[in-house]
Structures are given as structure tokens and as C-alpha cells.
């Protein structure tokens, strides 16, 4: 996932911010093409690279997100933080019995699907794609599986994960963008958006 681009001072290289190795860092590639190379000594969460035209200086932005999952008691309006880390935690969905929460988190260095109990404890990583964006976790009606979208090879596809074994089954593979899955009420179908 690329979030910003810039030119080198000599105009022979393109600089960009990408999460191709986990967190967003700065990379460079010659304008003639080739294999991207990570810029050394630049921290994670870097974007918006720009070189000074007259001096050998690089400026860039450093960003941090600490997105957490909160719960509101609808009868009282009481709000509390339930799932948190120093990284990006989002997209929660309760299991059908309300005992667990599936959510997306970047706490492993990659966006993956995690599970926790309904109070935020006992968290464990469910997917291990280790690259690309993984998200939109949705529980099957029987609570045995979670469907999600992921991009382990760059193209978004739909995957079903067995909650107990961690087994992964890819259910789409067409050269299209298949995202945002959801189960039918009877659990026999998975619906998703596609171009």
C-alpha cells in the first residue's frame, strides 16, 4: 500500500512510502524500474518524502496511529476502552454468542485478524499473512469461522479461517478486487464487493 510519492533531487529516482515490509517506511526505485530498495536510517511510519533541491537533505513526515476499540453500554451510555495496543486496532465484530471479538490489528507489524474475549483479554493472532492489508473480519453464524479480505500477494481476495485450528481457505482468486465479505444468515453463502 503506497501513501505518498516524491522525486529525488537529481530526478532519477522515485521515493515512496509503502508498507511492503510491515510498517510504512520510505523506499526508492529508479525511474527506469527495478526492485524497490528501502531507504536506510529512516524510521517506521514515514511518509511524504521530499529532497531539498540545493542541499543533500531529505525531509519526511513521521506519523503514529493509536486506534483502539471501545465499547458502549447502550442502557447506561457508559463507554470504556476494551481492546488497545500502541498500534492500529479496528473493525471489531462480536461472535454470535457475544463471548469473543474478532478485530484487525497491526500489533504484529502487519495488519492481521486477531481474536479476544469480550472484555479484551486473551488476545491471539488468528491470521499470519505477513504482508498486505488484511481486514473486515466477520463471524460465521455458527461461530466456528471468520471470513476476511487480505492481500498476501497484492491482489485482494476473500479467505475463511477456522477459529480453532487456524486453517485458512481462500475462496476467491479471480483477477479482481474482492473485499468486504459478510456471511449469509444461514452460513451457506459469503457475500462480498468486487469490481
Amino acid at each position: 500500500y503506497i501513501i505518498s510519492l516524491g522525486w529525488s533531487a537529481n530526478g532519477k529516482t522515485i521515493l515512496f512510502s509503502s508498507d511492503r515490509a510491515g510498517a510504512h517506511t520510505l523506499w526508492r526505485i529508479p525511474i527506469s524500474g527495478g526492485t524497490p530498495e528501502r531507504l536506510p536510517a529512516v524510521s517506521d511510519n514515514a511518509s511524504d518524502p521530499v529532497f531539498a533541491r540545493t542541499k543533500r537533505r531529505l525531509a519526511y513526515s513521521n506519523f503514529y496511529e493509536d486506534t483502539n476499540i471501545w465499547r458502549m453500554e447502550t442502557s447506561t451510555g457508559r463507554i470504556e476502552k476494551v481492546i488497545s495496543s500502541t498500534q492500529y486496532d479496528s473493525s471489531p465484530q462480536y461472535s454470535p454468542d457475544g463471548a469473543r471479538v474478532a478485530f484487525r490489528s497491526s500489533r504484529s507489524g502487519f495488519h492481521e485478524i486477531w481474536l479476544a474475549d469480550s472484555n479484551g483479554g486473551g488476545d491471539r493472532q488468528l491470521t499470519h499473512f505477513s504482508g498486505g492489508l488484511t481486514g473486515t473480519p466477520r463471524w460465521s453464524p455458527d461461530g466456528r469461522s471468520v471470513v476476511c479480505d487480505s492481500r498476501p500477494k497484492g491482489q485482494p481476495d476473500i479467505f475463511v479461517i477456522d477459529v480453532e485450528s487456524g486453517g485458512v481457505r481462500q475462496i476467491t482468486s479471480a483477477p479482481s478486487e474482492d473485499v468486504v465479505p459478510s456471511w449469509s444468515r444461514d452460513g451457506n453463502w459469503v457475500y462480498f464487493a468486487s469490481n
Side-chain angles (χ1 to χ4, degrees):
Y1 185 65
I2 296 173
I3 59 174
S4 59
L5 299 168
W7 287 99
S8 62
N10 65 10
K12 295 181 179 179
T13 305
I14 297 171
L15 305 173
F16 61 98
S17 174
S18 173
D19 63 352
R20 64 193 318 108
H24 272 89
T25 54
L26 296 183
W27 298 76
R28 64 180 162 214
I29 189 167
I31 60 171
S32 59
T35 303
E37 177 183 301
R38 185 174 172 175
L39 285 180
V42 174
S43 64
D44 288 349
N45 303 314
S47 68
D48 307 310
V50 62
F51 270 102
R53 293 193 188 275
T54 58
K55 295 186 178 181
R56 294 180 50 89
R57 290 188 180 160
L58 168 69
Y60 64 92
S61 299
N62 211 257
F63 63 93
Y64 295 93
E65 284 184 296
D66 185 12
T67 305
N68 299 301
I69 297 172
W70 296 72
R71 173 174 53 207
M72 182 177 81
E73 198 65 48
T74 56
S75 60
T76 64
R78 181 175 164 249
I79 298 173
E80 65 178 321
K81 190 185 316 184
V82 181
I83 298 172
S84 67
S85 70
T86 58
Q87 296 297 314
Y88 187 88
D89 300 310
S90 72
S91 309
Q93 190 188 40
Y94 280 111
S95 60
D97 64 3
R100 295 180 286 183
V101 177
F103 62 99
R104 176 178 119 193
S105 180
S106 64
R107 60 183 73 185
S108 69
F110 299 99
H111 287 270
E112 300 283 1
I113 305 303
W114 288 68
L115 301 177
D117 65 38
S118 63
N119 291 319
D123 54 342
R124 72 176 171 98
Q125 188 174 341
L126 183 62
T127 63
H128 299 273
F129 291 113
S130 300
L133 178 63
T134 299
T136 321
R138 296 293 178 256
W139 288 92
S140 61
D142 63 8
R144 293 177 163 177
S145 302
V146 171
V147 67
C148 67
D149 53 44
S150 187
R151 297 145 182 84
K153 296 177 184 168
Q155 173 183 308
D157 280 307
I158 307 299
F159 297 83
V160 175
I161 300 93
D162 181 274
V163 171
E164 295 310 315
S165 72
V168 177
R169 183 169 47 101
Q170 184 173 345
I171 62 172
T172 66
S173 60
S176 55
E177 292 191 19
D178 301 331
V179 294
V180 197
S182 190
W183 293 90
S184 62
R185 255 186 231 199
D186 61 9
N188 290 328
W189 297 86
V190 171
Y191 298 88
F192 56 93
S194 181
N195 65 356

